Amino acid sequence: MKVRIYGFEWQFGKGITLNEFYNYLLTISGQEISNKVIVLGQVGEFWTGVMLTIKDVKAYCAMKKEGGKFTITPQMLDSNSRIIDFNYFIVSPLTGRGLYQHYHQSAMPNTFCNYCATHYGKLRHDRITAEIDSFGGNDVISQKNKKEVMRKYKGSFGYSTLARPGNFLDSIKALKEIKEFTYEVSGLEDDEKAYTPTSKFAKRAYHRFVIADGSLVSNVCESIRETLGIGDVGRAKVVGIDAFGSEDTYKLFNDYCTFDEFEYDDIVLKVNLNSETMIDSLNSSEVIAELLTIAARKDVNALLTVPIK
């Protein structure tokens, strides 16, 4: 089984910074919430972390092969043990972009980001409630002041999965539905300039297509592949619905350097976490060291740490 390293990017609404959100996550670090535990630390220029998903099972089956035959027997964990999935990650405090380690049937990057979105929503709600209370509460605050508070915290948590050209197309082919396609080019054609007088001042242009309901994913993917092969496409984004009915977003960056993959057996033997030395055992983890090694590659480091203008 392969362990693959994905890239992701967090996006925020107004009123809450990346550092404020991270500090909020620190308040729940090490706590079990909805069968998940997130542990956070920092090594050098990156925040480090692992998300543990606790399985509600104690029994499993094992196969033993011997002499061309096999037997399958049930196995039972002791009363204090649980099966868990682990997903290590690192995040740049400069951009909200990071690397995420994933293997089959563990939490996908969008599951991790949705978990973060839930806590961002709680932080946003707490901030809004505190400001409304400062005006005397919902029954006292004027409509004008309430609108100003809501405007201050306008927007929600968003995320994207970063991909290289080949993986970008492979990923969107797996979507059940494609809802939107956006891409950026460094210039405009003459026929486009006729409709955009401001284009003489622009150094980049974005094109956004809302895909009609019922469009075949294979046909949309082929049209996207052709679009990416024409002209100087710098970045692209696809929003769609995955096989489980959740919205997913993929971003293409042409300055992307290939991420890595490993064998599961090699990675799982490197997992070592201890609740008594949680942060130290996280930061010294060999899996985190692997992620940091990938992040140190020149092109990957630029992708993760350089803000997009």
Side-chain angles (χ1 to χ4, degrees):
M1 183 166 63
K2 295 292 185 183
V3 174
R4 293 184 170 87
I5 310 302
Y6 293 99
F8 66 90
E9 179 182 34
W10 289 339
Q11 297 110 29
F12 296 86
K14 295 181 178 179
I16 298 173
T17 66
L18 179 57
N19 277 282
E20 288 171 336
F21 177 62
Y22 176 75
N23 287 334
Y24 179 79
L25 289 180
L26 283 174
T27 66
I28 62 167
S29 180
Q31 300 178 30
E32 181 180 341
I33 301 173
S34 301
N35 293 326
K36 286 183 171 54
V37 178
I38 192 170
V39 181
L40 300 170
Q42 182 164 1
V43 175
E45 62 178 332
F46 286 97
W47 292 328
T48 59
V50 62
M51 185 171 74
L52 306 174
T53 302
I54 303 167
K55 303 290 190 178
D56 190 22
V57 292
K58 296 176 65 178
Y60 62 98
C61 289
M63 174 189 282
K64 183 176 181 180
K65 293 182 179 180
E66 191 172 3
K69 299 178 181 180
F70 68 85
T71 57
I72 296 177
T73 56
Q75 309 289 319
M76 179 69 74
L77 299 175
D78 65 54
S79 59
N80 295 321
S81 301
R82 291 291 186 273
I83 294 173
I84 63 104
D85 284 325
F86 58 91
N87 300 100
Y88 286 84
F89 59 90
I90 59 174
V91 186
S92 168
L94 301 175
T95 62
R97 296 187 215 115
L99 298 177
Y100 181 86
Q101 160 262 314
H102 171 264
Y103 56 89
H104 182 58
Q105 293 189 334
S106 70
M108 289 288 291
N110 62 333
T111 302
F112 162 66
C113 288
N114 280 327
Y115 175 84
C116 293
T118 298
H119 290 289
Y120 179 93
K122 291 178 181 178
L123 172 60
R124 178 177 178 271
H125 176 267
D126 291 347
R127 290 281 186 89
I128 291 172
T129 300
E131 295 219 17
I132 289 176
D133 287 346
S134 71
F135 286 99
N138 266 314
D139 296 333
V140 177
I141 188 173
S142 68
Q143 283 299 110
K144 178 183 177 182
N145 287 335
K146 189 171 184 178
K147 285 182 178 179
E148 288 178 353
V149 171
M150 299 306 293
R151 192 180 300 115
K152 180 178 178 180
Y153 294 100
K154 183 179 179 181
S156 58
F157 181 97
Y159 63 89
S160 302
T161 302
L162 308 180
R164 61 187 173 94
N167 284 350
F168 181 74
L169 292 170
D170 289 341
S171 297
I172 65 176
K173 284 178 184 175
L175 293 171
K176 186 170 68 174
E177 178 186 354
I178 295 177
K179 298 172 63 177
E180 180 183 314
F181 170 50
T182 307
Y183 69 94
E184 174 200 300
V185 291
S186 58
L188 290 91
E189 300 296 330
D190 288 340
D191 57 344
E192 293 174 307
K193 292 179 179 179
Y195 297 99
T196 53
T198 313
S199 64
K200 63 183 178 182
F201 303 106
K203 63 179 180 179
R204 291 192 296 265
Y206 290 88
H207 299 263
R208 177 173 178 262
F209 299 90
V210 178
I211 309 302
D213 291 342
S215 299
L216 285 175
V217 169
S218 58
N219 292 343
V220 179
C221 285
E222 179 60 22
S223 69
I224 291 173
R225 185 190 67 78
E226 293 177 0
T227 301
L228 296 179
I230 298 172
D232 184 19
V233 176
R235 301 187 184 98
K237 180 178 77 171
V238 165
V239 178
I241 304 298
D242 67 17
F244 303 100
S246 300
E247 185 171 286
D248 211 347
T249 302
Y250 289 95
K251 278 188 175 181
L252 166 69
F253 286 83
N254 276 344
D255 56 355
Y256 170 85
C257 180
T258 303
F259 297 146
D260 227 321
E261 65 178 37
F262 308 91
E263 292 296 332
Y264 175 80
D265 290 345
D266 295 335
I267 290 293
V268 72
L269 295 175
K270 297 177 180 179
V271 175
N272 183 20
L273 288 169
N274 187 325
S275 63
E276 293 184 352
T277 57
M278 189 80 76
I279 297 176
D280 287 340
S281 59
L282 167 68
N283 289 339
S284 62
S285 162
E286 291 187 52
V287 185
I288 289 295
E290 295 281 8
L291 293 178
L292 293 171
T293 298
I294 297 169
R297 298 173 188 168
K298 184 177 180 181
D299 290 347
V300 178
N301 192 266
L303 173 62
L304 298 181
T305 63
V306 178
I308 298 173
K309 297 180 179 179

